[in-house]
Amino acid sequence: MGSGLSFIFIPLFLYVSLVVILCVKIADNTSWKMGWLFAAALIFFPAGLLTVVGMYESGAW
């Protein structure tokens, strides 16, 4: 029981870790605003997409 959560949180942790490193490098080369823009887009767009697809597949829409 509970091992299914590891299939979600381990890849999510790795993805967010790599995105944070990428966004910090972007912010170092441009500005902190551009780093936050990339961070918001790279983290929230896939999360929103997975939420919408999950809701569609479950019949909520």
Side-chain angles (χ1 to χ4, degrees):
M1 288 185 69
S3 64
L5 288 177
S6 64
F7 288 117
I8 295 172
F9 287 119
I10 292 174
L12 181 67
F13 176 76
L14 292 174
Y15 175 75
V16 169
S17 300
L18 293 174
V19 166
V20 165
I21 293 170
L22 173 68
C23 293
V24 168
K25 289 181 72 73
I26 290 171
D28 284 343
N29 289 333
T30 57
S31 69
W32 64 271
K33 290 181 183 179
M34 189 61 82
W36 275 108
L37 177 70
F38 272 84
L42 289 173
I43 291 173
F44 293 122
F45 179 72
L49 184 64
L50 289 173
T51 302
V52 169
V53 169
M55 289 176 66
Y56 181 76
E57 289 293 324
S58 69
W61 263 332

